[in-house]
């Protein structure tokens, strides 16, 4: 089961492997899944900090503050539920992740599935506003 399950975990209680899975524990939430993942995150953080330090040395501290505020604003923007999926184009352009092309960009698209249902925009907005319950976009039977 995913770590965002509806069953609440307590820190002091024993880990139930059948309910939460092997890696879904408090220790599993804190520790990386693989040793290589830790080194990848460490290197990415190092280069991001180095880039921030260089930008602060050239443009001043206000540049990084402005960039952080822009990132917060652009990360919250979402299109209303409907036929087109929400894209974070502004955020991706700001962070430079437009150049990254991973397997999730072309494999296992829900639109290619046989059990895909078109989303209901009216129901999605009701869920988003708290007037109705259920998933915003039930795309699978």
């Amino acid at each position: 089961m995913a770590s965002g399950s509806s069953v609440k975990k307590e820190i002091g209680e024993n880990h139930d492997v059948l309910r939460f899975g092997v890696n879904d524990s408090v220790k599993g939430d804190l520790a990386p899944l693989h040793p290589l993942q830790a080194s990848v995150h460490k290197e990415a953080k190092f280069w991001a900090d180095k880039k921030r330090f260089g930008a602060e040395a050239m443009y001043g501290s206000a540049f990084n503050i402005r960039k952080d505020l822009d990132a917060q604003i652009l990360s919250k923007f979402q299109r209303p539920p409907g036929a087109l999926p929400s894209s974070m184009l502004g955020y991706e352009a700001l962070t430079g992740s437009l150049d990254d092309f991973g397997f999730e960009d072309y494999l296992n698209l829900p639109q290619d599935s046989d059990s895909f249902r078109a989303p209901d925009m009216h129901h999605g907005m009701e869920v988003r506003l708290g007037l109705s319950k259920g998933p915003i976009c039930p795309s699978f039977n």
Side-chain angles (χ1 to χ4, degrees):
M1 216 179 221
S3 62
S5 64
S6 62
V7 179
K8 187 175 179 181
K9 294 185 293 185
E10 297 293 329
I11 293 177
E13 84 180 24
N14 291 334
H15 177 66
D16 188 2
V17 178
L18 293 176
R19 183 173 294 145
F20 299 119
V22 177
N23 290 327
D24 193 28
S25 64
V26 174
K27 183 180 177 185
D29 291 342
L30 300 176
L33 297 177
H34 194 272
L36 182 62
Q37 187 178 10
S39 64
V40 167
H41 286 298
K42 185 178 177 183
E43 183 178 354
K45 185 177 180 341
F46 170 76
W47 286 110
D49 289 344
K50 191 169 185 171
K51 197 174 187 181
R52 286 181 62 85
F53 180 73
E56 186 173 339
M58 283 196 289
Y59 304 114
S61 62
F63 181 78
N64 283 334
I65 294 170
R66 172 72 187 261
K67 196 172 179 181
D68 290 342
L69 286 173
D70 289 344
Q72 286 178 6
I73 291 168
L74 291 172
S75 68
K76 292 180 182 176
F77 173 76
Q78 286 189 347
R79 179 179 287 136
L84 297 173
S86 192
S87 68
M88 301 284 194
L89 186 62
Y91 183 71
E92 289 175 358
L94 182 70
T95 59
S97 62
L98 280 174
D99 300 332
D100 298 337
F101 190 75
F103 70 91
E104 63 273 359
D105 292 330
Y106 62 93
L107 288 179
N108 202 16
L109 294 173
Q111 294 89 345
D112 297 337
S113 175
D114 293 335
S115 60
F116 178 73
R117 288 188 300 168
D120 182 17
M121 186 172 178
H122 185 78
H123 176 70
M125 285 307 293
E126 285 181 352
V127 170
R128 192 177 250 180
L129 295 172
L131 301 173
S132 179
K133 293 185 179 181
I136 290 178
C137 180
S139 60
F140 295 102
N141 292 332

